[in-house]
Amino acid sequence: AQKITQTQPGMFVQEKEAVTLDCTYDTSDPSYGLFWYKQPSSGEMIFLIYQGSYDQQNATEGRYSLNFQKARKSANLVISASQLGDSAMYFCAMREGRANAGKSTFGDGTTLTVKP
Amino acid sequence: DVKVTQSSRYLVKRTGEKVFLECVQDMDHENMFWYRQDPGLGLRLIYFSYDVKMKEKGDIPEGYSVSREKKERFSLILESASTNQTSMYLCASSLIRTTNQPQHFGDGTRLSIL
């Protein structure tokens, strides 16, 4: 079974609107971290936001927020007030506590296109 | 700021050549990783290293080897390049001990094998 599932291969959003990118995960480890990365067409991977399994509140970083629903094992990324520069591929990733070497598992990604 | 530097953004090599991809990080991270990224397949882990001279196979190690002689440098080696190794290669590093540390990536190397 896939550990990280991103069910939306592609998404479109109108500029200035909000968009939610879905991510579900699967782990039996009580200690884990969830990450979102952005990859523009130029290729570099940019870390956006982190949510820990024990965090009581949803993480926020500027226009990015994470809708963390632990019981449902989902960690959706919400981008508010979309900008043209948000057009990119977005990856959800998980790092489990048992994996002491610090490996992360990545989803297949969602391509977001922001329309003017 | 953490800096992960990959030696080439674009590289073209011939079938059968031995190819070296170099990666250097400047933040004293224990972990270093090599991924391959292909359309529709996401990021696939080739090899990772959690210490000097230590390495572990990832999900797709066949046809690749790695070297980590110094903590800051992690090299990916294609022993005899083949056309199916044409891909985007990403190097990353992270701290070893905690789950709250993200991976920091280089800019990637787009490798074409002709």
Side-chain angles (χ1 to χ4, degrees), chain A residues 23-101:
Chain A
C23 173
T24 58
Y25 60 93
D26 184 27
T27 181
S28 57
D29 195 322
S31 176
Y32 54 89
L34 296 158
F35 304 84
W36 278 91
Y37 295 85
K38 173 184 178 180
Q39 187 181 40
S41 58
S42 50
E44 72 274 23
M45 292 277 280
I46 303 164
F47 164 65
L48 294 177
I49 194 167
Y50 161 81
Q51 180 83 44
S53 59
Y54 296 117
D55 292 345
Q56 296 295 312
Q57 293 190 325
N58 288 339
T60 60
E61 288 287 347
R63 293 187 299 111
Y64 303 109
S65 61
L66 210 152
N67 184 359
F68 181 47
Q69 298 188 46
K70 194 170 181 177
R72 293 187 177 185
K73 294 188 175 178
S74 75
N76 299 338
L77 177 70
V78 180
I79 305 175
S80 63
S82 297
Q83 301 172 356
L84 296 178
D86 293 334
S87 292
M89 180 164 276
Y90 290 81
F91 290 94
C92 179
M94 176 173 64
R95 182 170 174 176
E96 295 169 277
R98 283 182 307 206
N100 291 327

Side-chain angles (χ1 to χ4, degrees), chain A residues 31-35 37 39-47 50 53 89 91 95-109, chain B residues 9-10 31 33 35 37 40-43 45 48-50 56-57 88 90 94-108 110:
Chain A
S31 176
Y32 54 89
L34 296 158
F35 304 84
Y37 295 85
Q39 187 181 40
S41 58
S42 50
E44 72 274 23
M45 292 277 280
I46 303 164
F47 164 65
Y50 161 81
S53 59
M89 180 164 276
F91 290 94
R95 182 170 174 176
E96 295 169 277
R98 283 182 307 206
N100 291 327
K103 288 190 294 182
S104 291
T105 306
F106 287 80
D108 291 341
Chain B
R9 289 298 300 269
Y10 300 93
N31 292 334
F33 308 85
Y35 294 94
Q37 184 179 15
L41 296 177
L43 270 70
L45 182 64
F48 71 99
S49 169
Y50 51 89
E56 285 196 22
K57 293 180 180 179
M88 170 75 140
L90 290 163
S94 73
L95 290 170
I96 192 171
R97 297 244 177 250
T98 59
T99 58
N100 65 353
Q101 294 299 312
Q103 293 189 7
H104 298 267
F105 286 83
D107 289 343
R110 294 183 193 272

Side-chain angles (χ1 to χ4, degrees), chain B residues 44-59:
Chain B
R44 293 182 291 169
L45 182 64
I46 304 172
Y47 268 97
F48 71 99
S49 169
Y50 51 89
D51 202 352
V52 175
K53 297 192 185 294
M54 304 302 289
K55 61 185 179 185
E56 285 196 22
K57 293 180 180 179
D59 301 319

Side-chain angles (χ1 to χ4, degrees), chain B residues 23-26 29 32 52 68 70-74:
Chain B
C23 177
V24 177
Q25 51 95 3
D26 66 359
H29 283 171
M32 295 190 75
V52 175
R68 194 164 181 201
K70 293 185 178 181
K71 191 174 185 178
E72 67 270 19
R73 185 180 296 270
F74 192 36

